[in-house]
Amino acid sequence: MQTGTQTFRIGPIEISLPVVLAPLAGYSDLAYRRLCRRMGCPYSTTEMILDRCVSIRGRQHIALTATADDDHPTAGQIVGNEPETMAVGARRICEKGFDVIDLNFACPVNKALRRRRGGYLMGEPARVVEIVRAVVEVGKELGRPVTLKVRQRNKTTDGEENFWRIAQGAREAGAAAVTVHARSVEQKYSGPADWDFLRRVKEQFPGWVVIGSGDVLTPESALAMVRQTGVDAAAVARGALGNPWFFHQVRDLQAGRSPQPPSLAEQRDVMYEHFAGAVELYGPQKAPAIMRKWGIRYARMHPQPKQVRMAFVAVKTPEDWHDVLKRYYPRCD
Ligand SMILES: Cc1cc2nc3c(=O)[nH]c(=O)nc-3n(C[C@H](O)[C@H](O)[C@H](O)COP(=O)(O)O)c2cc1C
């Protein structure tokens, strides 16, 4: 079993820590990825983007596909259900400057399932493999590794055959890595993730890069997943919402230091920077609404979480945001 100190590779890309930032719709945008990177995150993924929408012009789509010099390596994740449209989406993802093309076959939200995308395709292994094959061709042409995100099963009562057919087929088609969310599509995000399943996947594919997802809620649990299951890396999702320090804390643990929570002054500096990143991405009109949900997450770390949460909920302008920071996050604490 691994120790949690190893590096791993996705194609030619060497990744310095076996803990990465998972894709998070509504959260893992450029502003947050940059913060996480500065705190030691070695690799991240955009939220899922519909294959046909990668190149749509319009502020929201431009923000979804934004990347920058200090945002590498990052995968651009696309979702769709036709090999042809996914191949076109993959090409656009490469043109945007992402380092890896990631394919989503895991999303459990009803809208995606109704449109036969994301987790719906866990029930159609042959189609998934066809899509992977088509996108790997694009990846080869443009020099980008292709990865995929899947779930353990479609329905909780299903067997695992579809998973193994997808995994085997994607591996043979040339996918460089697979991220496995160890829950069924039906479970969405509830119930415990089946880490023993991750152990079995890695045992079955010892030469393939496997990234585990599910219940990585603390820095300790990230390293425990790697140690207990043998996966190459653990993806942190809900555990990193409002906690970009997660990656710093994992590196502390690796170095034998006990992870320190950030001081109020450190929290303020990060929230200040996060807001500036949101303004850059979405503009000053939209940034306050985007940042309210982040304020709610950040407030959980504050000694007066309820008051601070309410103050963030009331934010309507950039001035409001900065007033909350001044009021509750003193420079010296
Ligand atoms: C709010 C939210 C948004 C998510 N968006 C995506 C997404 O766009 N693409 C994806 O592959 N997974 C997405 N996920 C799934 C996470 O990447 C992760 O697999 C899942 O939350 C399990 O990890 P956890 O139990 O440690 O949170 C999302 C999860 C949450 C909670």
Side-chain angles (χ1 to χ4, degrees):
M1 283 290 158
Q2 311 182 13
T3 60
T5 54
Q6 76 284 359
T7 61
F8 71 104
R9 301 181 86 88
I10 295 184
I13 301 167
E14 177 147 12
I15 298 169
S16 64
L17 186 78
V19 180
V20 301
L21 180 64
L24 283 157
Y27 292 96
S28 60
D29 61 8
L30 175 62
Y32 195 57
R33 296 198 304 268
R34 273 174 155 164
L35 274 182
C36 289
R37 185 89 48 181
R38 208 163 57 61
M39 301 287 172
C41 171
Y43 180 71
S44 51
T45 303
T46 65
E47 70 175 76
M48 126 192 142
I49 305 159
L50 183 59
D51 52 4
R52 280 179 268 128
C53 292
V54 179
S55 290
I56 284 187
R57 297 201 60 74
R59 189 144 206 168
Q60 200 197 341
H61 279 95
I62 291 174
L64 276 183
T65 55
T67 181
D69 289 349
D70 56 352
D71 182 41
H72 297 286
T74 287
Q77 187 185 74
I78 52 175
V79 66
N81 56 17
E82 298 288 343
E84 298 76 18
T85 55
M86 287 289 263
V88 172
R91 203 171 276 282
R92 303 280 172 264
I93 280 290
C94 298
E95 287 164 5
K96 295 274 177 187
F98 291 103
D99 308 280
V100 174
I101 307 158
D102 189 44
L103 308 177
N104 182 313
F105 303 111
C107 179
V109 306
N110 291 338
K111 187 173 160 194
L113 302 182
R114 272 199 312 275
R115 296 184 180 175
R116 302 176 174 221
R117 300 177 189 136
Y120 176 89
L121 292 176
M122 286 304 298
E124 295 198 4
R127 179 174 286 262
V128 170
V129 175
E130 217 187 314
I131 292 172
V132 174
R133 244 188 242 121
V135 175
V136 165
E137 281 309 306
V138 174
K140 276 189 194 146
E141 187 191 321
L142 301 178
R144 302 293 206 293
V146 176
T147 59
L148 67 157
K149 168 102 176 263
V150 290
R151 292 240 177 184
Q152 178 184 17
R153 305 162 193 265
N154 191 2
K155 296 211 171 63
T156 310
T157 47
D158 280 357
E160 291 169 359
E161 305 86 68
N162 284 347
F163 173 88
W164 296 112
R165 282 176 64 194
I166 289 171
Q168 187 65 39
R171 171 99 171 98
E172 284 168 9
V178 63
T179 300
V180 181
H181 182 176
R183 290 187 174 94
S184 69
V185 177
E186 203 179 43
Q187 266 181 290
K188 297 193 182 342
Y189 300 102
S190 60
D194 182 354
W195 284 16
D196 190 58
F197 182 69
L198 298 176
R199 183 192 61 72
R200 286 194 286 129
V201 175
K202 189 60 201 180
E203 197 174 81
Q204 186 68 27
F205 298 103
W208 201 21
V209 173
V210 177
I211 301 174
S213 173
D215 286 342
V216 177
L217 300 175
T218 61
E220 288 80 1
S221 64
L223 293 181
M225 176 188 273
V226 173
R227 209 172 42 242
Q228 288 171 25
T229 69
V231 292
D232 299 86
V236 50
R238 285 173 291 185
L241 286 177
N243 184 10
W245 300 274
F246 194 99
F247 297 95
H248 202 266
Q249 291 169 345
V250 168
R251 290 186 189 265
D252 275 346
L253 281 173
Q254 277 190 325
R257 295 186 293 267
S258 52
Q260 295 303 312
S263 67
L264 287 180
E266 284 166 327
Q267 291 176 47
R268 189 213 38 241
D269 289 349
V270 158
M271 285 186 269
Y272 187 87
E273 192 179 330
H274 197 163
F275 193 88
V279 169
E280 204 180 307
L281 212 48
Y282 305 102
Q285 304 288 335
K286 211 165 169 222
I290 300 267
M291 289 305 292
R292 277 201 291 269
K293 67 184 181 220
W294 282 108
I296 292 167
R297 302 276 176 185
Y298 283 121
R300 291 189 299 197
M301 244 182 236
H302 196 279
Q304 298 163 269
K306 275 196 189 142
Q307 284 105 305
V308 178
R309 179 192 158 94
M310 277 161 60
F312 278 129
V313 167
V315 164
K316 291 201 173 53
T317 63
E319 293 70 35
D320 293 344
W321 178 267
H322 293 116
D323 284 347
V324 179
L325 298 191
K326 270 189 222 140
R327 178 151 177 222
Y328 290 103
Y329 295 87
R331 281 207 174 270
C332 302
D333 54 330

